[in-house]
Structure formats: structure tokens, C-alpha cells
Amino acid sequence: MSFKEAYRQWNETVTPGRELTDRLLQKAAARNGRPAGRMRRKAAARTGRQTTRLWHRTAIAAVLLCAVLSCSMPVLAAHVEPVYQFLYLLSPKAAQYFMPVRMSSEDQGIRMEVVSAYVHEDTAEIYITMEDLEGDRIDETTDLFDSYSIHRPFGAVGTCERAGYDAESGKVSFLITLKERSDDWKEHPIRGDKVTFSVQEFLSHKAAYEAVAIPLDLAEVPEEPVTEEAELRGCGGAYEAYGIGDTADVLRSNASVDLLPDGSVTLTAWGYRDGLLHIQTAFGDTREHDNHGYLWLENADGKKDAAYSLSFMNGEDPDHPVSYTEEVFDISAEDLAEYTLYGHYVISGQKTEGSWSVTFPLE
């Protein structure tokens, strides 16, 4: 065995101690999660404490950098996640500097690969592809389900959207767009910096159901149904005009009418409150899928959309909470008889979990 080969094998066995990395991460988490109230001090005392905290952060960063610099690149690459996450917390620029370039990543039989990166002025556009090497989990509906993360050494707004699907190769492509938030790019251009893009899961094989007739007798909508207070996850439409805040009174679920053949969406409550028509549907556990949709009323003269909508979850089963949407129509009971209720829904068919990460220079 040559000296070069023996050195390489010995070097790859050198790893940062787990106790050291765990201790550093715990210290970082403790400092990052300190309650804001404890930070309120008199000006002089606060200045002294800030200096002390800065010294501690600098000292920890120096220790970590020494550990990183004392390890060769193969060791860093093999144990990059705990070191990387902590270093990124302290200095995104330093973290990205030490990340090795990795243009493709494979896990669970799925390959993610960087195709191209284009930088112009303050914007970077990167194309990546994903393909299934073992089956057909990738298709034209593949969605990253907001599970991706973009680590970069500069301040920027980052987005990712599906760009296309090639049926012949079975590859789906995504466009990552990074746009700097200031004019710093003029003095410090982003060209040459490294970016890390990671994905933890994706959805595929989605089915769309359009203009689904909702089996609800609009002539028999009850008045003043039972309600309960709910903490809202989101709102849509002109909810502010109706005085909706962080919480709202919503209908208490008292039914379960399947709206789709697979039972993935159900009608759970309906009724008139304060002259407004409320219709509530359940979409299951949206942490496991991305089932979504909306309702509208339609008559001979056209369509009428909901005035606003509310999204909330129940807390009966914390491990599998059910997501609800309540849509509110500003329409009188007399006019309602002329309408038919319809829905549009998109249902996720398959969820694939894994760990894919690529690091690439902006060239």
C-alpha cells in the first residue's frame, strides 16, 4: 500500500467527537432560544452583556473553525451536517465556504442533480432535476411540498417552482430563483458564492377534480347553527372587511359527507349565521399531504365566489390533526335557491420522504 493511500485511509477515520458537536449545538440552541424578556436591561448593563455574549459567540466560532480547519475535507464532508448547521447559525458565509461542491445527491432511489446556474446582476437562477431510478414516484405533478431549504452566504429572497416534466426521461425540473435584498451585489457580486439546496420530501401523482357537484340541499340550510371558537391558521378573500382576527367563531362539525370517491374531502357543517352562508369542509391531516380546494355557487347568470374563507385545525388528536376550511358567502337565503354548489379539489396521491442536498457555485 502506498503512503498516499495509507494516509487517505487513516485520514478518513478521523471524526469530530460526538460529545463536542452535541455540546456546541446545545449552546447555540440555548443562546438562540433565550426569551426576549430576559434581554431587557439598563443601557450600560446591556452593553456589557452584549459584549460578553459577542465574545462567547466569537470564542465558540473560533473553536469550531479550529476543529474544522484541523480536519481534512473528506472528514468534513463525511460529518458535515452537525458542523454545518452550527457554523451556518454563526456565519452563513463561512458555512458555505467550507461546504464541498456536490452537484448531485441520491437517496431512496431518487436522484437530484444541478443542471445549470445563471447569474445576472442581483439575481441567480438555478435549474435542478429529480428522477426516480427505481420506480415511477416522479411525474408531472411532483411538488416539493414546501419541504425545501436554501442556504446561501448572502441576504436574498429565495423561491422554488416546478419548471417542467420530461416524460421520456422521467425527470422533473425545478427553477430556484435567488434575488438579493439590497444593492450589496454591486460591490460584492454573488458570482462565485456557493449555495446549498436541500429537500426532505415531495408529493406526486396528484389528481384534480373540477366542477364537482356538492350534494347539499341549499333549500334546507339551517339558521344559527352551533359554533365554537377556533384559532385560525390562515384566511382568504376580504376577511378583514368582516372583522376577522386571529380567532373566529366557526361552525361545530356535525356531519361527514364524502365529496370525492376516495373520501379524502368531507362536508362537515353548513348553516346561516348573521345573514351569511357558512360551509365547512375537512381535508384530513395536511402535514401528510397537500389536499386543497375551494367552493363556489353558480346559477344561470354565472359564478359567485366566497366572500372570505377561514382555515383551522382541531386538537382532538395532536399527532394527526384534521385541517378544516370554512367558506363564507355573502348571499341571502332567498337568492340561494337559484344556485347550485360546486367544488374544485386537488388530491395528493403519493408522498416520498428522504434526504437530498446539493451544493453548487454560482457561475
Side-chain angles (χ1 to χ4, degrees):
M1 180 183 297
S2 67
F3 174 78
K4 181 179 179 180
E5 180 65 18
Y7 177 80
R8 184 187 65 79
Q9 291 186 8
W10 170 83
N11 196 42
E12 288 181 349
T13 65
V14 180
T15 63
R18 179 61 181 269
E19 182 180 353
L20 171 62
T21 57
D22 286 349
R23 189 164 63 250
L24 291 175
L25 289 170
Q26 289 171 2
K27 288 182 178 180
R31 285 177 171 78
N32 195 42
R34 182 175 297 165
R38 298 181 183 178
M39 303 298 289
R40 297 178 186 138
R41 299 289 188 270
K42 293 182 180 180
R46 183 171 63 244
T47 301
R49 285 175 172 80
Q50 286 175 343
T51 302
T52 302
R53 285 197 298 273
L54 178 60
W55 184 90
H56 281 307
R57 284 171 60 91
T58 304
I60 294 172
V63 171
L64 183 60
L65 285 172
C66 288
V68 170
L69 290 171
S70 65
C71 298
S72 66
M73 190 55 71
V75 174
L76 176 60
H79 303 273
V80 68
E81 190 59 27
V83 176
Y84 172 65
Q85 292 296 340
F86 180 74
L87 187 56
Y88 194 87
L89 177 66
L90 294 176
S91 171
K93 194 171 187 64
Q96 291 309 121
Y97 175 82
F98 285 110
M99 279 295 284
V101 172
R102 186 183 187 188
M103 302 298 286
S104 66
S105 174
E106 290 186 20
D107 189 29
Q108 308 299 318
I110 304 290
R111 176 190 291 152
M112 183 170 74
E113 187 172 15
V114 181
V115 176
S116 64
Y118 171 53
V119 181
H120 50 99
E121 295 185 338
D122 63 342
T123 302
E125 296 176 307
I126 306 99
Y127 281 94
I128 69 163
T129 61
M130 296 185 74
E131 63 176 315
D132 192 344
L133 305 177
E134 299 177 355
D136 64 347
R137 291 164 290 179
I138 298 288
D139 68 351
E140 67 274 9
T141 70
T142 301
D143 178 3
L144 297 185
F145 196 30
D146 292 333
S147 74
Y148 65 86
S149 60
I150 307 173
H151 289 80
R152 58 273 190 187
F154 49 84
V157 176
T159 61
C160 179
E161 58 183 340
R162 187 174 59 244
Y165 173 74
D166 181 26
E168 184 174 349
S169 65
K171 294 182 179 181
V172 62
S173 59
F174 293 91
L175 172 62
I176 304 166
T177 303
L178 299 173
K179 186 175 180 63
E180 288 206 88
R181 291 191 292 255
S182 66
D183 289 336
D184 290 345
W185 61 273
K186 294 179 180 179
E187 297 181 5
H188 306 284
I190 62 178
R191 188 183 302 275
D193 283 333
K194 286 186 291 187
V195 173
T196 298
F197 181 78
S198 304
V199 175
Q200 290 74 49
E201 60 190 19
F202 64 85
L203 302 173
S204 58
H205 298 285
K206 294 185 177 183
Y209 296 85
E210 302 179 2
V212 177
I214 306 302
L216 178 63
D217 186 356
L218 297 179
E220 298 295 332
V221 177
E223 296 278 350
E224 301 302 326
V226 178
T227 64
E228 58 189 7
E229 187 178 45
E231 184 175 345
L232 302 179
R233 298 175 61 239
C235 305
Y239 63 94
E240 292 180 334
Y242 291 84
I244 303 299
D246 294 333
T247 62
D249 286 336
V250 299
L251 303 183
R252 179 174 295 175
S253 302
N254 57 13
S256 182
V257 180
D258 289 339
L259 301 184
L260 299 178
D262 62 359
S264 55
V265 181
T266 56
L267 188 66
T268 52
W270 54 90
Y272 261 97
R273 290 191 62 245
D274 302 324
L276 301 174
L277 172 64
H278 291 243
I279 301 179
Q280 183 188 103
T281 50
F283 291 90
D285 186 353
T286 53
R287 297 184 305 181
E288 295 298 322
H289 51 69
D290 189 32
N291 295 349
H292 58 275
Y294 61 93
L295 297 167
W296 74 88
L297 294 166
E298 189 170 336
N299 65 4
D301 296 327
K303 298 170 60 175
K304 183 176 182 62
D305 296 322
Y308 66 93
S309 62
L310 311 174
S311 298
F312 56 96
M313 303 184 84
N314 73 3
E316 297 176 1
D317 184 355
D319 294 329
H320 302 283
V322 177
S323 176
Y324 291 89
T325 295
E326 186 160 312
E327 293 169 270
V328 183
F329 294 85
D330 194 347
I331 186 172
S332 67
E334 293 76 16
D335 294 336
L336 188 59
E338 305 173 4
Y339 287 84
T340 302
L341 186 64
Y342 291 96
H344 173 90
Y345 299 103
V346 177
I347 307 302
S348 301
Q350 187 172 7
K351 176 182 175 181
T352 304
E353 297 181 341
S355 180
W356 301 272
S357 182
V358 290
T359 297
F360 48 91
L362 294 177
E363 300 289 344

